[in-house]
Amino acid sequence: MTLTPTKDQTGVSARSSRSTSRKLNRAEGSSIERQRRKLLIPFVGPAFLFYTLLFVLPAAGAMWISLHRWSGAGPMKFVGLDNYFLVFRDELFLKAFGNTLLLLFVVGIAIFVIAFGLCLILRDMVGKKIARSVIFFPHLINALVFGVLAGFIFNPGGLVNTLLKPFGVTDPPKWLAQDNLFPLIMVTLICTTTGYFTTILMAGVDRIPPYYYEDCALAGATPFQRLRYVVLPLTWDVFGTCAVLWTISSIKIFEVVWVFGGSSGAGIPPTQSWTTAVYTYVTAFSAQSTPAYGAATASAIISLALISVLVVILRRAMRRDAVEF
Amino acid sequence: MSEDLDIPVAIAPKRRPRNRPASPAMRGERSFLRSTGVGLLWIIVAVSIIMLGWMVMQAFRDTRSILGDPWGLPETIDFGNFVRAWTVGDFAQATWNSAVTTIVSSVLTVAIAAPCAYYLGRVENRFTRSISLYFILGLGIPAQVILIPLFVMLNQVYLTDSLLGLNLVYIGVSMPFTVFLLTAFFRSLPLEMEEAAALDGTTAVGTFFRITLPLAKGGILTAFVLQVISHWNETLLSLTLMQSTEKYTLPVALISFVQQQTYSGADWGGLFAGLVIVVMPMLVIYIWLGRRLTEGLTLGMGK
């Protein structure tokens, strides 16, 4: 009986002192945080405004325009999903869409295989910093430059043909014939993009501690086994990120196609080498026909849908339990 | 056995000199495949450097000698191509437009994105998480989607064919990436200094400007330079929005220069000069800040 009140008292006093100190702490913490929270409008507001007005609003507008027949001036006529059907019956669009898929998958797979191979070589190579810096640089150059350069390299009197001449090739193929353009564009893209992805993959491969490799060597693992059981599982997440990055950037490819091999005279590239981005631009802004804003945005929205589907699939497929190391 | 020797090396990997082939146990793997790979890699590196040097060399030769002998070297340092590109190709105006647009829009992008990223990085609740997600969604939207609506919108407020309009567009379009990059960066900064400043009675705004920003100098510089690179090279939006020659940015001027040649005959000398003008600033930036850039572009890739 006599013990309980004191117990209570001590309990209460201890609790109260603890709670006051906690309250103090919380008051301290919350005063910074409360102050910080007040900054929502001035800090986040401008960025939110710019982004919403100049990016999200146009993106929503694109959905809206794609449901109309519209030439940019005059009245908009609501046609529902007609533009989408129209576009999928348009041979030019199907060609452009096929090209985009070729870029996405064929070029994409080539880039990843080569980049991964380069990574494995670069990993413990002498002078890897220099090599890495050089192969990264093309990423910083406007793709227009490669398009124009390719025009000169494959020119009838250009670099490739003068190089082939000593080997007895007197009748070289017409590199820049309209049907050859797209394969050349694909090769150009592989050459200029691989370095960037190699650099990113390297960041993943570099994280693997060296004693894993030594352990492999001691255990007598073949290089293939080492690749299969050590390198791949530990870089898997970086691979996933790279795949998403390539998906997004490959759908945007425009510049290199636009000027590849010089201009064809009409100011637009031959239709055999179009991508969906080129299709969108030409359909809307080429001076040759009445602009069809509806069909143009519909094709852009289709590309966006393609990106979203692929990104979701990629994220699902690449999801593994992260390996902690 | 050589395996015995590398156990201490395995325990203390730091002692091993960097960039040196690894321990004795791994020295056996100098296979044929690998040395071919290394050889190929160096060939790729050499070809890249040669191509760049070749492009610069050709810019100093006239079209006839370029076509006559594409592998030749310039006999004299002749700036004629640059002069012609500069005057006839309107590259002077275009370079000026590009430079101003790039600098102004990049500075403003970072200035607007940094506070936002700071807030999103430091205040964590459901609301800020959804705002972050809202920004990240923009990373997946390609430029051709917003191209036409943007053109229509800006046309209504007379901001097409205007550098002001182009700057605004660049700022808006760059928000997702910059906010994303800087949020990750601000999160990585230690909280203690800010807490100390707050205990000393600094306001939240003061803490941001006087403590966090100076600490974040490196990350902000990286974000700025990445924007400089992307705005300097941006083509599609600028091609759409700019219509009169005196408003062209450099990539658009280059495209119109290429297209003129279908009518006026190929001026490869002038074209190479134009390419060099486009590439050189990037090379200078890369040599100056290379490491920072690759780190910035690979930051947060594992997440």
Side-chain angles (χ1 to χ4, degrees):
Chain A
M1 284 296 277
T2 48
L3 276 174
T4 35
T6 50
K7 231 183 194 175
D8 265 349
Q9 270 179 356
T10 52
V12 165
S13 65
R15 206 182 302 143
S16 69
S17 74
R18 216 184 301 137
S19 74
T20 46
S21 75
R22 199 189 293 157
K23 209 178 278 170
L24 263 177
N25 263 336
R26 201 190 293 150
E28 204 52 66
S30 75
S31 94
I32 309 173
E33 271 166 27
R34 223 184 310 127
Q35 269 201 6
R36 224 189 247 146
R37 235 171 274 143
K38 273 189 209 145
L39 296 175
L40 174 66
I41 303 294
F43 271 32
V44 179
F48 187 84
L49 210 66
F50 266 97
Y51 174 56
T52 308
L53 277 181
L54 291 158
F55 203 98
V56 179
L57 199 65
M63 307 261 180
W64 178 245
I65 292 176
S66 77
L67 300 175
H68 293 76
R69 184 171 304 142
W70 192 31
S71 64
M76 291 168 83
K77 185 166 175 283
F78 186 81
V79 292
L81 293 175
D82 266 10
N83 281 320
Y84 291 89
F85 298 126
L86 195 81
V87 156
F88 269 111
R89 277 199 303 270
D90 184 355
E91 257 174 52
L92 290 179
F93 176 77
L94 291 179
K95 181 72 191 161
F97 195 67
N99 282 344
T100 300
L101 290 181
L102 278 178
L103 290 181
L104 186 54
F105 291 109
V106 177
V107 175
I109 288 171
I111 287 175
F112 275 72
V113 171
I114 300 173
F116 194 58
L118 288 181
C119 264
L120 296 180
I121 297 168
L122 272 169
R123 186 176 58 79
D124 54 358
M125 201 181 79
V126 183
K128 74 170 177 182
K129 270 191 192 144
I130 301 169
R132 200 150 61 151
S133 320
V134 172
I135 60 174
F136 179 79
F137 182 60
H139 179 67
L140 306 182
I141 299 179
N142 193 331
L144 282 177
V145 174
F146 304 123
V148 176
L149 276 185
F152 186 78
I153 291 170
F154 294 104
N155 212 24
L159 287 190
V160 170
N161 287 355
T162 47
L163 273 184
L164 286 177
K165 210 174 266 170
F167 296 100
V169 183
T170 47
D171 187 25
K174 289 193 174 56
W175 303 107
L176 295 177
Q178 297 199 340
D179 284 327
N180 291 339
L181 277 186
F182 197 71
L184 281 185
I185 290 174
M186 289 169 68
V187 173
T188 310
L189 278 169
I190 293 174
C191 293
T192 54
T193 322
T194 306
Y196 172 58
F197 286 100
T198 311
T199 317
I200 300 181
L201 285 179
M202 271 313 279
V205 172
D206 274 350
R207 282 186 321 193
I208 302 175
Y211 48 82
Y212 279 32
Y213 297 109
E214 294 180 6
D215 201 30
C216 280
L218 292 178
T222 63
F224 177 75
Q225 284 171 322
R226 192 179 59 199
L227 184 69
R228 169 77 184 74
Y229 296 107
V230 175
V231 182
L232 268 181
L234 294 185
T235 47
W236 196 247
D237 51 343
V238 187
F239 258 102
T241 317
C242 284
V244 170
L245 275 179
W246 170 248
T247 308
I248 295 171
S249 61
S250 68
I251 306 259
K252 290 187 209 169
I253 289 171
F254 173 84
E255 291 95 337
V256 66
V257 180
W258 194 251
V259 293
F260 199 86
S263 165
S264 63
I268 52 175
T271 54
Q272 288 96 325
S273 60
W274 282 13
T275 60
T276 46
V278 176
Y279 180 88
T280 302
Y281 182 83
V282 173
T283 316
F285 299 112
S286 131
Q288 297 184 332
S289 52
T290 41
Y293 279 17
T297 38
S299 92
I301 299 281
I302 292 169
S303 339
L304 180 60
L306 182 68
I307 293 183
S308 328
V309 170
L310 284 174
V311 168
V312 169
I313 292 178
L314 276 172
R315 292 210 79 97
R316 279 277 155 76
M318 305 293 273
R319 196 191 292 152
R320 299 268 167 102
D321 291 329
V323 185
E324 298 288 336
F325 60 92
Chain B
M1 287 296 278
S2 65
E3 275 88 344
D4 292 333
L5 288 173
D6 47 74
I7 290 166
V9 183
I11 294 167
K14 272 178 198 156
R15 277 207 340 236
R16 197 172 55 216
R18 294 162 76 204
N19 286 344
R20 195 60 70 73
S23 62
M26 296 170 64
R27 207 165 279 164
E29 60 165 285
R30 300 261 151 252
S31 67
F32 172 72
L33 197 70
R34 196 183 154 73
S35 33
T36 336
V38 172
L40 268 178
L41 186 71
W42 282 114
I43 291 176
I44 296 174
V45 169
V47 168
S48 313
I49 296 174
I50 290 171
M51 283 305 289
L52 185 66
W54 175 79
M55 190 180 83
V56 177
M57 289 298 163
Q58 301 312 309
F60 291 102
R61 305 173 72 207
D62 62 88
T63 303
R64 186 185 308 214
S65 54
I66 294 175
L67 284 176
D69 174 19
W71 289 103
L73 295 174
E75 278 115 36
T76 53
I77 300 289
D78 176 14
F79 283 92
N81 290 327
F82 288 96
V83 172
R84 207 167 54 256
W86 203 250
T87 50
V88 181
D90 287 319
F91 275 59
Q93 184 68 40
T95 307
W96 172 249
N97 289 345
S98 261
V100 170
T101 309
T102 303
I103 301 288
V104 170
S105 62
S106 305
V107 167
L108 288 177
T109 302
V110 173
I112 292 170
C116 176
Y118 173 73
Y119 189 90
L120 296 180
R122 282 289 186 243
V123 181
E124 294 212 40
N125 53 41
R126 190 173 296 174
F127 179 65
T128 55
R129 269 195 293 277
S130 39
I131 298 224
S132 302
L133 189 68
Y134 175 68
F135 276 104
I136 287 172
L137 279 181
L139 288 173
I141 301 180
Q144 69 254 38
V145 172
I146 61 165
L147 197 61
I148 292 158
L150 205 55
F151 180 78
V152 173
M153 273 171 48
L154 291 180
N155 212 7
Q156 271 162 4
V157 287
Y158 305 103
L159 282 177
T160 49
D161 202 18
S162 125
L163 289 175
L164 175 65
L166 192 66
N167 272 301
L168 292 177
V169 168
Y170 282 176
I171 296 171
V173 169
S174 309
M175 275 306 140
F177 178 74
T178 316
V179 169
F180 174 72
L181 181 80
L182 286 177
T183 304
F185 185 76
F186 280 126
R187 273 208 191 113
S188 73
L189 290 180
L191 204 61
E192 285 79 8
M193 304 264 276
E194 286 175 40
E195 274 167 357
L199 285 176
D200 287 345
T202 322
T203 58
V205 181
T207 314
F208 173 66
F209 282 107
R210 286 164 56 190
I211 310 293
T212 316
L213 275 189
L215 277 177
K217 240 185 305 181
I220 288 188
L221 181 64
T222 308
F224 171 71
V225 176
L226 289 177
Q227 289 316 310
V228 166
I229 290 166
S230 84
H231 295 168
W232 178 262
N233 290 330
E234 204 290 323
T235 310
L236 183 58
L237 288 167
S238 158
L239 183 67
T240 310
L241 296 174
M242 302 288 132
Q243 284 133 3
S244 47
T245 322
E246 70 271 14
K247 299 282 173 55
Y248 280 175
T249 58
L250 207 44
V252 185
L254 189 68
I255 290 177
S256 93
F257 194 73
V258 171
Q259 287 175 347
Q260 278 165 25
Q261 302 202 346
T262 10
Y263 305 108
S264 60
D267 174 10
W268 284 106
L271 203 48
F272 277 113
L275 296 185
V276 169
I277 297 173
V278 174
V279 172
M280 273 309 132
M282 297 298 103
L283 184 64
V284 171
I285 288 179
Y286 190 54
I287 289 171
W288 176 38
L289 292 165
R291 249 181 86 68
R292 201 184 277 281
L293 289 187
T294 41
E295 269 165 20
L297 280 173
T298 52
L299 181 84
M301 282 307 162
K303 282 170 197 157

